[in-house]
């Protein structure tokens, strides 16, 4: 049993994370960042939930780049093969659920 106060979580580096749970190879991690990630494709599906702040999520479909602004409570689902990159607008805290060891 644990309680995590996401609003006060910080890390010593961009995209630093606290492991919340690992349920049969599916991880739930709380990330803090103030820097963009990198374009990537996960090893499986990913659920990305904005808990604090605003994130511009860029993704590519059929070779075209798209962008959506995610605010607190918004959820981005990256299906298998979805290339994407998160660009925080200042400090953010996000919950990421994905296959253990995924990029």
């Amino acid at each position: 049993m644990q309680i995590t106060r996401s609003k006060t979580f910080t890390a010593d580096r961009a995209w630093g994370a606290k492991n919340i749970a690992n349920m049969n190879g599916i991880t739930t991690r709380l990330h803090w960042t103030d820097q963009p990630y990198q374009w990537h494709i996960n090893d499986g599906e990913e659920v990305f939930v904005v808990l604090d702040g605003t994130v511009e999520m860029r993704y590519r479909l059929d070779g075209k780049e798209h962008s959506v602004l995610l605010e607190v409570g918004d959820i981005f689902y990256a299906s298998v093969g979805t290339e994407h990159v998160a660009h925080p607008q200042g400090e953010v805290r996000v919950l990421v659920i994905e296959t253990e060891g995924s990029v």
Side-chain angles (χ1 to χ4, degrees), residues 41-102:
I41 298 172
N42 293 81
D43 297 334
E45 299 161 293
E46 174 185 332
V47 174
F48 183 101
V49 183
V50 179
L51 300 176
D52 185 43
T54 304
V55 175
E56 179 191 5
M57 184 63 78
R58 300 176 189 172
Y59 58 97
R60 292 186 179 132
L61 289 175
D62 301 322
K64 294 181 183 176
E65 188 174 319
H66 303 270
S67 174
V68 63
L69 200 58
L70 303 173
E71 298 178 340
V72 172
D74 290 343
I75 302 168
F76 177 80
Y77 169 69
S79 56
V80 173
T82 302
E83 188 175 14
H84 59 286
V85 61
H87 282 259
Q89 311 296 293
E91 275 190 38
V92 300
R93 289 161 184 87
V94 297
L95 194 68
V96 177
I97 304 161
E98 62 190 352
T99 303
E100 183 177 17
S102 187

